[in-house]
């Protein structure tokens, strides 16, 4: 006798939304763990990428959307290239971030990440490419963290890692 678990209509709607936004299906994942093994920022995450996919498979979207993992994902696509089932995990993380924003689920850390992304995109939009100094200035203005890197910046300038003008 097979046991069937019915998803609620909310979980089903969230699953459908995730599938449409990411253009990939979490059901294809068979939990091999290659995504987590190859992730360069996994040591900072509260839930492994493979477990995020598993929670999404089970319809546990509250835990997924409240996790730090979706915000810490670097979108480097390492997980996607390592996946033997070709599940686009990077796109799933992007879609989960979008779903969290739509539902107003954002903690202090995620707001800082969003501010950085906006500063980055504004810099690229303004200059046609990434420029370190305007990026840092824009981010500092958005986040009100004016003195956070006050000791690091002079060392970076001396070592040639931070440039006032584009190369």
């Amino acid at each position: 006798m097979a046991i069937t678990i019915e998803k609620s209509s909310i979980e089903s709607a969230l699953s459908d939304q995730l599938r449409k936004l990411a253009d990939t299906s979490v059901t294809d994942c068979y939990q091999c763990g290659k995504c987590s093994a190859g992730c360069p920022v996994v040591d900072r995450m509260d839930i492994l990428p493979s477990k995020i996919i598993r929670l999404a498979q089970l319809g546990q979207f509250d835990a997924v959307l409240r996790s730090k993992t979706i915000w810490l994902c670097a979108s480097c696509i390492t997980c996607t290239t390592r996946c033997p089932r070709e599940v686009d995990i990077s796109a799933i993380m992007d879609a989960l971030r979008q779903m969290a924003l739509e539902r107003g689920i954002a903690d202090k850390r995620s707001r800082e990440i969003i501010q950085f992304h906006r500063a980055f995109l504004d810099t690229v939009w303004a200059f046609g490419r990434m420029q370190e100094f305007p990026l840092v200035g824009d981010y500092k203005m958005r986040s009100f963290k004016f003195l956070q890197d006050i000791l690091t910046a002079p060392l970076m300038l001396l070592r040639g890692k931070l440039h006032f003008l584009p190369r």
Side-chain angles (χ1 to χ4, degrees), residues 76-140:
C76 66
I77 312 175
T78 301
C79 53
T80 301
T81 58
R82 292 177 56 99
C83 182
R85 300 281 296 166
E86 298 180 356
V87 176
D88 193 349
I89 300 155
S90 182
I92 290 170
M93 294 293 188
D94 286 340
L96 290 169
R97 283 191 288 263
Q98 185 175 341
M99 291 168 66
L101 286 173
E102 287 172 358
R103 283 156 186 75
I105 302 171
D107 61 2
K108 180 184 175 200
R109 177 82 175 154
S110 58
R111 284 191 294 274
E112 290 174 4
I113 292 169
I114 292 165
Q115 289 166 347
F116 179 81
H117 283 283
R118 288 188 178 139
F120 177 83
L121 291 173
D122 287 349
T123 302
V124 172
W125 181 256
F127 297 100
R129 59 184 290 183
M130 205 281 291
Q131 303 291 333
E132 290 99 351
F133 222 76
L135 169 68
V136 171
D138 191 359
Y139 174 68
K140 296 297 180 188

Side-chain angles (χ1 to χ4, degrees), residues 1 6 22 25 31 40 49 52 68 76 90-91 95 98 100 124 129 163:
M1 179 159 85
E6 291 186 34
S25 178
Q31 294 292 300
I52 290 285
K68 287 191 325 183
C76 66
S90 182
Q98 185 175 341
V124 172
R129 59 184 290 183
H163 304 281

